[in-house]
Amino acid sequence: MASLNYHLLPALENAGDFVSLEGVLPEDRLFVGCMQYALPDHISYHVDFSHVGSGVVVGGTISATVIGSCARCLEPVTFRADGEIEGFFVFSEEDTPDGLEADEFDIVAPDGTIELSDCIRAALVFEIPAVLLCDDDCKGLCSRCGTNLNNDSCECSGQLNSDNPFSILQDIKFSSES
């Protein structure tokens, strides 16, 4: 995983100081849980830093082309992800504003640097759909033979598998209630 350290001082030494930074985080893969996504053009970012007295507010945008697999048919799906970067870094734990929880800020390293790659990756993860589909009407794969039902049909797709432990449920008779 790529690292992106930014040294805050001397550019952000005083309250009110402001700096912008843009570039590309050279990531070619992103892992979210058990899913893997390709990033053929890496992750472009634009970040603004504002010294607000007790720390530095980080805001900005990311943009990336993302390639993943359809959750139903496993075919490649390419989409554009554009998200927002958000972060707050305090200079020391004593500088933490009242009312903030520990997961709402990070601490500036003793050498005056902050790690931006985590904020950039988090902004991208937030833009990835929970269930990635090639099409809302994707038919998926046949559970018996693996045929992609978007492209072909198969003889087994309508049959019940007797090896399936749920096949016994087909014999349940439901009475209609009036």
Side-chain angles (χ1 to χ4, degrees), residues 37-154:
Y37 300 90
L39 305 170
D41 302 324
H42 309 292
I43 308 170
S44 298
Y45 62 87
H46 175 90
V47 182
D48 295 323
F49 303 91
S50 297
H51 187 305
V52 293
S54 60
V56 175
V57 173
V58 177
T61 58
I62 59 98
S63 184
T65 299
V66 182
I67 303 172
S69 297
C70 176
R72 293 182 188 159
C73 69
L74 305 179
E75 291 294 322
V77 178
T78 301
F79 64 97
R80 190 80 183 157
D82 297 303
E84 293 187 20
I85 299 169
E86 295 179 353
F88 182 61
F89 293 83
V90 295
F91 293 106
S92 68
E93 232 173 305
E94 295 80 38
D95 293 332
T96 306
D98 292 335
L100 283 184
E101 299 293 325
D103 64 346
E104 295 179 300
F105 65 91
D106 289 305
I107 299 174
V108 175
D111 66 354
T113 61
I114 59 174
E115 176 56 52
L116 286 175
S117 63
D118 294 335
C119 292
I120 293 169
R121 277 188 218 93
L124 179 57
V125 167
F126 189 70
E127 297 303 315
I128 293 177
V131 177
L132 183 60
L133 297 176
C134 62
D135 185 73
D136 288 342
D137 297 325
C138 178
K139 297 175 185 173
L141 302 176
C142 172
S143 61
R144 294 185 83 193
C145 70
T147 296
N148 184 336
L149 300 174
N150 295 308
N151 303 329
D152 296 311
S153 61
C154 64

Side-chain angles (χ1 to χ4, degrees), residues 155-174:
E155 297 299 318
C156 56
S157 64
Q159 300 173 4
L160 293 174
N161 183 351
S162 61
D163 295 338
N164 185 328
F166 297 103
S167 64
I168 195 166
L169 298 175
Q170 71 182 343
D171 297 329
I172 294 177
K173 303 293 185 226
F174 295 97

